[in-house]
Amino acid sequence: MEVVHGYWPAIIVAIVFLLILAFLIFRPRQRVTLTDSKAPVRPHMQQAAPREGRGIAGEAAAATSDVTGEIINAPVHRALEGDVARDDLCRLKGVGPKFAEALHAAGFTTFNQIAGLSSVEIERLDEQLGGFRGRITRDRVVEQADYLARNDIDGFEQRFGKL
């Protein structure tokens, strides 16, 4: 008992050290599943399941906006959920609102579409972009879109900086 009273600080340090060591050894490991593509799919990168429908509140809001749009002659119709998905292309580094609008005009609305471009398609798209010619390769837009299409925010931020 005298040993415990004499060496109690060393015993506490040893217990804390063993707890930290046990945590490092037995902590849960991150599972990485390799796919056919070049990038791994991590658990936190899984796509969220799409919602079933807009519900009663959404339908009421749509009806109200339709009536209001008729009264003030404003275009209020937008693509409904499940029709055409549009990603915010301005999240890509080097893509501003005008460049994003040029990509939308060329028919590219999602990160998946941009990520799947081949080098020939990039050249063809560059010719259509006019003032934005060369920006796709210079700003590495296809590579950025690949990260965002896979919902790999951590990988994107490591490679290109904060979103």
Side-chain angles (χ1 to χ4, degrees), residues 35-91:
T35 62
D36 292 338
S37 67
K38 61 185 175 245
V41 177
R42 296 181 179 97
H44 67 278
M45 294 170 24
Q46 299 298 324
Q47 297 288 338
R51 295 189 331 206
E52 184 67 31
R54 294 176 3 160
I56 295 174
E59 293 296 328
T64 304
S65 67
D66 287 346
V67 171
T68 306
E70 292 282 329
I71 293 171
I72 62 173
N73 293 327
V76 293
H77 293 285
R78 292 199 173 107
L80 297 175
E81 289 178 6
D83 287 350
V84 178
R86 283 183 98 168
D87 290 329
D88 183 15
L89 299 182
C90 292
R91 292 176 65 191

Side-chain angles (χ1 to χ4, degrees), residues 107-122:
F108 296 95
T109 58
T110 64
F111 297 131
N112 280 330
Q113 290 173 323
I114 296 173
L117 289 174
S118 68
S119 59
V120 174
E121 292 170 328
I122 291 171

Side-chain angles (χ1 to χ4, degrees), residues 92-104:
L92 299 167
K93 302 286 182 175
V95 176
K98 290 184 180 179
F99 189 20
E101 200 53 46
L103 289 171
H104 286 306

Side-chain angles (χ1 to χ4, degrees), residues 4 21 27 32 34 41-43 50 56 70 97-98 136 145 152:
V4 173
L21 184 65
R27 69 180 170 182
V32 176
L34 297 178
V41 177
R42 296 181 179 97
I56 295 174
E70 292 282 329
K98 290 184 180 179
I136 293 178
D152 186 6

